[in-house]
Amino acid sequence: MYVDQCQYNQNGKSRVRTLLRTSYREGGKVKHQTIANISQCSPQEIEAIRFALKHKNNLDALKKSASLPVSTQQGLTVGSVFTLQQVAKRLGIANALGRTQQGRLALWLILARIIDQGTRLSAVRLARQHAACDLIGMDSFDEEDLYTTLDWLADQQETIEDRLFRRKQKEHTPHLFLYDITSSYFEGQQNELAEYGYNRDNKNGKKQIVIGLLTDEEGDPVSVQVYRGNTSDCTTVLDQVQKVKERFGVQSVTMVGDRGMIKRTQIDQLPETFHYVTALTKPQIRTMLKKDVLQLELFDEEVCEVEWDGVRYILRRNPTLADEMASQREEKRKNLQTFVDKQNEYLHSHSRASVEKARDRVVKRIQN
């Protein structure tokens, strides 16, 4: 058996015909039989067939040749970038960012943040491991290009948010928005908006910024806004109301916020068609109990409604929260009893110890 290969011309074009053939004798003459036409095989496959036929009588040599070390090289990773890019397209993020080089770089910043959280420099290095430029259609870039993209994003933020909002809400305008804020602290001092304020990260002595997130009724982000680190929660609400009314063109809205977010000052400044849902503070509840507007027995597992001074109050007892508070009280009582026992033990073992000072320590512990 052998490989028979010849070159011929057909319609002015040079072609190669490759056959797998065998030869035999018949009547004293050598004849040939074609077993298969392998002209469609690649040159590498044809050479492999030739090699196998050459060593068909020496399988040990064939095995040794096949066991020679093979050099491999890792290509660019495709799967993660492709998958996340498809998700970004379905959510409208890719379209909202646009097809410019800056928009594509902004998309890569998002994908890189999901794949491997890191710095701008790490995003550049990550792109060299993944087929980011080929899939997203970007030119080559470095970390300075990504920092420039961040400036571009800051300038284009409202446009991008508006595109995302119109895409989702083109058939349904939401009338319920959810809003809350958080904060993020800084190690350094040089930041335009960083100030000392109420630190939710318990990082005393660190400057921070305040971040307000506005979502629709399904919890999908609508807009994000950054404030100075010393901005109080409630003072940010009216900015969101104005944004919803003027930028997004929603005229009838219900804002939902916690008791520290929506207060009397903000309520009085709401437009006529805007409503709110919030929670009562403890002083408000005590005042309403004294005025007999509310009664403790109204706080039951069944929902109860009370209307007073043009405001609708919805009351319900939360048994889960009640159990948690009871457990916390019991834990505090046990800790206090342990502290009292230690003070008594100290008084018994030290004849000159002051009972008044021990009592003061117990009272201070109770007050804290």
Side-chain angles (χ1 to χ4, degrees):
M1 190 178 299
Y2 62 97
V3 174
D4 180 17
Q5 193 172 56
C6 70
Q7 188 172 352
Y8 65 97
N9 292 325
Q10 183 179 18
N11 298 327
K13 295 183 178 180
S14 178
R15 301 180 182 276
V16 177
R17 184 264 296 152
T18 306
L19 302 176
L20 181 62
R21 310 185 75 180
T22 186
S23 60
Y24 62 96
R25 286 183 177 273
E26 184 177 310
K29 294 183 179 180
V30 177
K31 294 187 177 182
H32 305 278
Q33 180 182 2
T34 300
I35 298 175
N37 187 338
I38 57 175
S39 300
Q40 301 300 320
C41 293
S42 66
Q44 294 83 359
E45 291 170 335
I46 294 173
E47 287 302 316
I49 294 173
R50 279 201 177 105
F51 181 81
L53 292 174
K54 181 179 179 181
H55 295 280
K56 63 181 180 181
N57 294 323
N58 189 0
L59 295 179
D60 291 336
L62 184 61
K63 291 178 181 179
K64 290 179 181 179
S65 299
S67 62
L68 293 176
V70 179
S71 176
T72 61
Q73 183 178 358
Q74 174 65 45
L76 296 177
T77 303
V78 175
S80 56
V81 177
F82 177 79
T83 302
L84 292 174
Q85 184 186 23
Q86 296 307 307
V87 174
K89 288 180 178 179
R90 293 182 184 181
L91 295 177
I93 297 174
N95 186 58
L97 293 173
R99 299 183 179 276
T100 64
Q101 173 73 354
Q102 296 286 16
R104 296 176 192 272
L105 287 175
L107 178 60
W108 171 241
L109 281 173
I110 296 172
L111 304 189
R113 188 67 177 174
I114 297 173
I115 296 172
D116 182 23
Q117 298 183 16
T119 63
R120 306 292 83 74
L121 178 58
S122 69
V124 174
R125 293 169 176 167
L126 193 65
R128 296 169 184 166
Q129 302 171 12
H130 297 261
C133 291
D134 294 331
L135 291 172
I136 301 178
M138 302 179 294
D139 298 330
S140 60
F141 62 92
D142 57 25
E143 61 270 24
E144 292 300 328
D145 295 320
L146 295 183
Y147 280 111
T148 302
T149 299
L150 293 178
D151 293 333
W152 177 84
L153 278 172
D155 296 334
Q156 298 295 318
Q157 178 182 345
E158 290 190 6
T159 301
I160 295 170
E161 289 178 347
D162 291 347
R163 288 174 182 171
L164 290 170
F165 181 80
R166 287 195 300 268
R167 176 187 178 276
K168 182 181 180 184
Q169 312 299 344
K170 56 185 177 182
E171 297 180 356
H172 169 68
T173 301
H175 297 289
L176 178 67
F177 288 85
L178 310 177
Y179 178 66
D180 201 357
I181 69 171
T182 186
S183 60
S184 181
Y185 74 92
F186 289 85
E187 292 293 346
Q189 297 291 320
Q190 303 300 320
N191 184 281
E192 183 178 352
L193 297 176
E195 295 287 352
Y196 296 106
Y198 171 61
N199 198 300
R200 296 165 179 80
D201 300 309
N202 295 322
K203 296 290 184 178
N204 297 327
K206 303 291 185 181
K207 287 187 175 182
Q208 65 175 22
I209 57 173
V210 171
I211 306 167
L213 176 63
L214 183 72
T215 77
D216 62 15
E217 55 197 0
E218 295 179 352
D220 290 335
V222 172
S223 178
V224 64
Q225 191 165 344
V226 179
Y227 297 91
R228 291 191 176 277
N230 56 0
T231 305
S232 62
D233 298 12
C234 56
T235 58
T236 67
V237 173
L238 294 179
D239 288 340
Q240 308 306 315
V241 171
Q242 183 179 13
K243 182 187 302 182
V244 168
K245 183 178 181 181
E246 297 181 2
R247 270 185 54 194
F248 300 129
V250 184
Q251 300 302 318
S252 179
V253 173
T254 299
M255 299 290 295
V256 180
D258 59 28
R259 57 177 60 87
M261 188 73 65
I262 301 178
K263 296 186 177 181
R264 176 53 56 186
T265 302
Q266 289 69 46
I267 292 173
D268 292 339
Q269 297 182 48
L270 287 176
E272 183 177 352
T273 56
F274 276 55
H275 309 282
Y276 66 93
V277 175
T278 188
L280 291 172
T281 63
K282 290 182 179 179
Q284 288 175 319
I285 294 176
R286 294 191 185 99
T287 299
M288 297 177 74
L289 288 172
K290 289 180 180 179
K291 293 183 178 181
D292 203 32
V293 176
L294 304 178
Q295 297 82 40
L296 288 177
E297 54 267 22
L298 296 178
F299 293 91
D300 198 357
E301 293 190 16
E302 297 295 329
V303 175
C304 177
E305 297 185 20
V306 174
E307 188 170 340
W308 180 60
D309 196 21
V311 180
R312 178 187 175 203
Y313 299 94
I314 302 175
L315 313 176
R316 185 181 183 274
R317 180 178 179 273
N318 187 336
T320 302
L321 181 60
D323 292 342
E324 290 179 358
M325 294 177 66
S327 177
Q328 291 173 359
R329 285 195 298 269
E330 179 62 21
E331 185 67 23
K332 289 181 179 180
R333 188 196 67 78
K334 290 181 179 179
N335 292 337
L336 180 61
Q337 184 61 55
T338 301
F339 184 76
V340 171
D341 293 341
K342 288 183 178 180
Q343 296 300 312
N344 288 333
E345 182 180 349
Y346 183 83
L347 291 173
H348 285 301
S349 59
H350 297 77
S351 59
R352 301 180 62 179
S354 172
V355 176
E356 289 76 13
K357 290 183 179 181
R359 182 182 59 197
D360 292 340
R361 286 192 289 268
V362 172
V363 171
K364 185 178 180 180
R365 184 66 174 265
I366 294 173
Q367 292 174 346
N368 292 338

